[in-house]
């Protein structure tokens, strides 16, 4: 009876070690840099905000960036139209947008989204932010406000987005789902 007990104990211990090493991956804070909303001379594409209140994307290449943002040249403005292509060698851009009836005040635009934390765990990236809705102005046009952060380049299986503590979206870049909604073909 003793050898059987030893074998069972050994198998159980092995099982716990394997489960502990695979299922107990630690969530780690991820470094990121915020990209100001007015860093580039461009605009975010339109989407049906009634069907999808948020537009979000994990932009991994200059081509994906150009599917989500379009140039908006302003005479005499020295800002570039998009990030340098070299950014994508070590980074990606995670972006979340909303539409509000509010004045597009450049001094307040980057205060609408407050990043709480960005974490990774077992190949998954998670963004948690607080939304500070701008004062609604009935006379103002609808305007797109967005949060863009530069995160380290990685092959994330899943990107999860929480707004005010509530799950609001997921991307699965490894399966081709890098933006919600999908940009319209040009």
């Amino acid at each position: 009876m003793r050898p059987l007990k030893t074998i069972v104990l050994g198998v159980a211990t092995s099982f716990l070690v394997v489960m502990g090493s695979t299922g107990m991956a630690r969530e780690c804070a991820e470094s990121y840099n915020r990209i100001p909303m007015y860093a580039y001379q461009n605009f975010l594409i339109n989407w049906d905000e009634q069907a999808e209140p948020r537009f979000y994307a994990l932009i991994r290449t200059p081509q994906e960036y150009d599917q989500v943002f379009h140039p908006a040249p302003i005479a005499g403005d020295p800002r570039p139209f998009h990030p340098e292509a070299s950014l994508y060698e070590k980074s990606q851009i995670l972006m979340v947008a909303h539409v509000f009836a509010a004045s597009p005040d450049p001094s307040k635009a980057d205060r609408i989204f407050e990043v709480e934390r960005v974490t990774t765990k077992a190949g998954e990236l998670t963004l948690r932010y607080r939304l500070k809705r701008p004062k609604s102005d009935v006379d103002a046009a609808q305007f797109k406000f967005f949060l863009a952060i530069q995160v380290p380049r990685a092959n994330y299986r899943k990107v999860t987005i929480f707004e005010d503590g509530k799950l609001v979206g997921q991307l699965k870049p490894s399966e081709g789902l890098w933006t919600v909604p999908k940009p319209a073909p040009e």
Side-chain angles (χ1 to χ4, degrees):
M1 208 47 152
R2 226 170 202 328
L4 181 60
K5 191 175 186 182
T6 304
I7 291 171
V8 170
L9 185 58
V11 169
T13 302
S14 297
F15 179 76
L16 290 173
V17 168
V18 168
M19 290 305 291
S21 66
T22 58
M24 301 297 235
R26 280 188 31 222
E27 184 175 72
C28 299
E30 188 59 74
S31 64
Y32 68 91
N33 291 316
R34 186 155 184 172
I35 300 170
M37 195 168 121
Y38 291 104
Y40 304 105
Q41 288 188 75
N42 60 27
F43 65 94
L44 185 60
I45 62 169
N46 292 324
W47 76 94
D48 180 358
E49 69 269 6
Q50 299 305 316
E52 292 284 348
R54 286 160 211 83
F55 182 81
Y56 47 97
L58 180 66
I59 304 166
R60 301 161 295 176
T61 66
Q63 294 77 20
E64 288 178 352
Y65 189 92
D66 290 343
Q67 289 180 53
V68 174
F69 290 95
H70 294 294
I74 300 170
D77 192 334
R79 292 176 301 153
F81 295 119
H82 48 75
E84 292 289 327
S86 60
L87 175 136
Y88 302 99
E89 292 169 9
K90 295 183 180 178
S91 300
Q92 301 171 101
I93 298 171
L94 179 56
M95 186 276 308
V96 180
H98 274 271
V99 175
F100 297 107
S103 170
D105 182 346
S107 68
K108 296 179 183 172
D110 287 322
R111 295 185 203 151
I112 292 172
F113 295 89
E114 180 185 314
V115 176
E116 290 182 316
R117 67 183 182 262
V118 178
T119 58
T120 55
K121 178 180 178 180
E124 296 182 11
L125 178 69
T126 301
L127 166 64
R128 294 177 184 276
Y129 68 88
R130 292 267 171 222
L131 184 65
K132 297 179 177 181
R133 295 180 184 279
K135 237 185 237 181
S136 186
D137 183 348
V138 291
D139 294 331
Q142 296 285 320
F143 191 76
K144 296 173 240 166
F145 292 88
F146 62 87
L147 165 68
I149 60 172
Q150 186 179 333
V151 296
R153 184 161 191 79
N155 291 322
Y156 300 112
R157 289 182 300 107
K158 186 165 42 171
V159 177
T160 306
I161 300 167
F162 289 88
E163 178 182 286
D164 297 329
K166 206 166 78 173
L167 175 66
V168 293
Q170 285 190 332
L171 298 168
K172 294 183 180 178
S174 62
E175 297 174 19
L177 181 62
W178 64 275
T179 179
V180 171
K182 289 187 177 200
E186 293 183 8

